[in-house]
Amino acid sequence: MTPTEIKETLDREFPGSVIDNEELAESQIELKPDQWLEIATYLKNDPGLNFDQLECVTGIDTGEDGPLQSRYNFHSMEHRHKIEVVISLDRNNPKVASIEQVWRVGDWFERETYDMFGIIYEGHRDLRRILCPEDWEGWPLRKDYEAQETYHGIVVPKIKEEEWE
Amino acid sequence: MGVVQGDQMVLNIGPQHPSTHGVLRLKVWTDGEIVSEIKPYIGYLHRCFEKHSENVTYEQVIPFTDRCDYIASMNNNFGYVVTMEELMEIKVPERVEYIRVIMAELNRIASHLLALGVYGLDVGAFTPFLYMFRDRERILDIFELTCGARLLYNYMWVGGVSHDLPKDFERICIGFLDYFEPKIKEYNDLLTHNKIFLERTADVGVLPPDVAINFGVSGPNLRGSGVNWDVRKDEPYSIYDRFEFEIPLGEGEFGTVGDSFDRYWVRMCEMKESIKIIRQAIKDLPDGDVFQTIPKKIRPPKGSIYRRTESPRGDLGYYIISDGSPIPYRVKMRSPAFTALSSLGEIAQGWMLSDVIAILGSLDIVLGEIDR
Amino acid sequence: MTVDNLMNWFAELGDFPELAFILAVLICAVPVFLFIAIYALVAIYGELKISSFMQDKVGPMGQGVGLHAGKWGLLQPVADALKLILKEDIIPASADKKLFILAPFIVFIGAFIAFAALPFNQNLIIADMNIGIFYILAVSSLGVIGLIMAGWSSNNKWSLYGAMRSAAQIVSYEIPAALSIIAVIMLTGTLSMQGIIQHQSGFVWGILPNWIIFQNPFTFAAFFIFFVSGVAECNRTPFDIPEAESELVAGAFTEYSGMRYAFFFLSEYANMFIVSGIAVTAFLGGWQSPIPGILNSPGWGLWWFMSKAMFLIFVMIWFRWTFPRLRVDQLMNVCWKGFTPIAMVNIFGVGIWHLMLG
């Protein structure tokens, strides 16, 4: 199925959850975070879609005052079609349902996005930092991240920004 | 499973440990010798690759990608430049494509040699490790001849490669392949068909195919479970669709389909297939200029792309978002060993402590790639 | 009979029986200790060089006998020994100090006193007891206690794992080893070491030595059972799960450093020698020459014993670098479900063969 057909199927099954966003490419669908868990289960179990591979979960910070996004890449081994789901979340309270029970690979992917961006995946059984130490402060990959000064007495070096023409 | 009982022992394997997988900590709950739960703790090798790549230009990201999976640097570079060239719609000359395939496949052989040698070391066979490293040295010598570096190459650039092949590359490469093919038989005689090795690996750590797909396992680990999925054949990139090679699958010859022996065997067979690809590529290698399509300045159009390629560990994916400037907005590397390690907690339950080491070795993880 | 001979000699000089006994024992024990030390150095060097030949590497080089760069690296074991002696002696703060210090000694004692009954020669045997081989089998189990003490007192979970596995392994593999020796004793009728060797004198059909390994197909099998059980008792690959490097660092000995570690190391090599020594005595004719008629003077007898034992040690080293290691439960399976039944069948077989064919 082409991405447009998938978009229409989702719009039919879950009316009101597909958001039209001109900036996205054809294979990307933006969804509202409300019914995400049901939609995810549908994407996996429906025989016509059968997205059994969750390839990647990426977190995006769209800039100052913009929303945080959680993007999911799906692929179906049987039908060989792909789709990308974009979910925009409010910067100050980024919460979305966790899909780690549907695709077990989501467990570590969501932990990483939580660690780097601070997006809270509700329903995740063990949401804690994965790459940074457990007591690290701040969300490193956000654009407005300022590293803490010291960590247990060790000075944290700063990344210098340089001008490139 | 998950409720800690009163008489269980909690052990730490790592972070400093003689197994050379890297800096990894495994917290293991055991009842005597039987493991009931494993939790991996990673992040010891986190070098902020993704944050760095938001502060340097697109060309300067390539050395960073080298250092993520340092055993298979060529394949990391390959994934990145293939993704960038799709984003920017650059078509590279034929010679560049062939050179890239040759280098990527040589690096696949080198990476598998290391994985298999270290796996033998984990189960106690000291000698195949040294034999495989001896042959890996010859591949690293070929790389050194081409681009000057033995391990971290920075070889494939967006639009081309950094150095053309040296003059007598074909003779040296074919010489190596002729020397190496009989060695695979030597490894099989020494290790693969050894009864003790089979007892340690057959039927151990079985990964059923549907669990494997659900856990995002890919590459030789997935093919060891019998699933026919190889990005080079199913979503071909570069010129892989021109070569004839087969995809070895795990068949459960000595145990169940999907056990550690199958993963080991798939890697052994993949080396043979890589030799086939390299021979075909060298035969058809065209002439040309490798530097002509390298752009002076990389300014991709606004947009995002996710593309995956086949690294020796599985599906290596790059998610790149560009905002039109020479500096990337977001680069995310989806590493195959990350997902393979997350499945360890599931596969290794109920096995003994020695088996955990054997299963970990068969998954072939590199911490540099997991932590980035 | 050496201690007895020395006692008789001292009795001729004067009447001081207790002092004579102590002197005699010292005169016998000190050379054995020196022998163990030198033999361990030779064995370590041999292991490094043999492993390098098998693994396509070069091994210790340089330090030729004239201290210039050469191919032999003969001073390497000396450097190793010096390093171990000069290392700092670290005792973990939370370790059980008394047991920690005592453990290497007990392991070493277990290996050392077995040397008292090894027949190096027609005349060179410290104590030719009439229960010689029984004595050796009994005292070589002392080492297990030392190992468990080492693993427990280190206060380290990995050491405990290693010690438990090791204790289970050594205790289990004693049984096939002892049963194989019983097959030998049935033929010789005596437990004394020299007596067993005397039984193997002579040649069959003029050229084949009358060694026990050739006397009976069941003793042929018993030799292999004994040898492999001996390898397991020494904690060598393929049975080195207690010291499996890739899992347990160094097993029960992880926390030991310097001279204490050297003692464990020494006793491992001493154990290898004892196992080889018993195998040579019981199955391969001891110090007797394999060639009829010649080379059987006492000097040559020592040479034959040492060369046969060294050959078996070479085979042990060869095993280590060829095979992967067995997992603990597979190890136990092999012992209890494999070797022990075969060893019992051997005993019956030896008896029936001997009865029917004289």
Side-chain angles (χ1 to χ4, degrees), chain B residues 10 32-33 127 130-131 134, chain C residues 54-56 157 161 165 321:
Chain B
V10 178
E33 285 261 354
T127 315
L130 285 154
Y131 289 171
R134 169 197 63 191
Chain C
M54 288 182 185
Q55 292 175 344
D56 201 9
K157 281 177 194 154
Y161 256 106
R165 286 172 171 179
W321 303 112

Side-chain angles (χ1 to χ4, degrees), chain C residues 226-245:
Chain C
F226 176 76
F227 187 62
V228 177
S229 308
V231 169
E233 294 228 2
C234 299
N235 285 343
R236 299 277 298 179
T237 322
F239 304 105
D240 70 345
I241 200 84
E243 354 172 305
E245 268 174 32

Side-chain angles (χ1 to χ4, degrees), chain A residues 7-19:
Chain A
K7 222 184 272 198
E8 286 166 13
T9 318
L10 283 180
D11 213 8
R12 213 177 42 240
E13 294 287 329
F14 300 91
S17 49
V18 179
I19 304 177

Side-chain angles (χ1 to χ4, degrees), chain B residues 9-12 17-19 30 32-33 121-124 126-127 130-131 134 194 199-200 354-355, chain C residues 54-57 157-158 161 165 237-238 241 245-247 249 320-327 329-330:
Chain B
M9 193 147 102
V10 178
L11 276 176
N12 265 326
H17 201 78
S19 291
T30 66
E33 285 261 354
L121 199 63
D122 281 343
V123 292
F126 301 100
T127 315
L130 285 154
Y131 289 171
R134 169 197 63 191
N194 185 323
E199 278 198 27
R200 281 302 292 273
S354 327
D355 295 323
Chain C
M54 288 182 185
Q55 292 175 344
D56 201 9
K57 47 179 206 203
K157 281 177 194 154
W158 295 107
Y161 256 106
R165 286 172 171 179
T237 322
I241 200 84
E245 268 174 32
S246 32
E247 303 166 33
V249 190
R320 180 175 186 193
W321 303 112
T322 312
F323 295 124
R325 78 174 65 94
L326 283 172
R327 205 175 59 196
D329 61 330
Q330 293 162 349

Side-chain angles (χ1 to χ4, degrees), chain B residues 307-347:
Chain B
R307 185 66 168 102
R308 54 185 172 174
T309 57
E310 179 85 12
S311 97
R313 280 163 190 85
D315 287 354
L316 177 69
Y318 280 92
Y319 193 102
I320 301 183
I321 301 185
S322 153
D323 58 356
S325 73
I327 299 185
Y329 189 80
R330 172 94 168 97
V331 172
K332 164 154 172 119
M333 178 201 241
R334 182 263 191 211
S335 69
F338 191 74
T339 50
L341 188 59
S342 71
S343 70
L344 180 69
E346 179 82 8
I347 320 177

Side-chain angles (χ1 to χ4, degrees), chain A residues 22 32 35 52 54 59 72 78 82 87 95 100-101 111 116-117 123 145 153 160-162:
Chain A
E22 295 301 317
K32 287 213 188 94
Q35 288 181 299
D52 49 3
L54 169 59
Y72 305 79
E78 187 194 335
K82 288 180 178 275
I87 300 187
K95 286 199 185 159
E100 66 114 359
Q101 307 252 25
R111 275 177 67 187
M116 294 286 130
F117 287 92
Y145 170 68
K160 297 190 198 47
E161 296 216 5
E162 299 185 28

Side-chain angles (χ1 to χ4, degrees), chain A residues 53-70:
Chain A
Q53 250 191 350
L54 169 59
E55 291 178 312
C56 184
V57 176
T58 318
I60 315 274
D61 181 350
T62 49
E64 299 185 21
D65 303 327
L68 292 175
Q69 285 183 343
S70 185

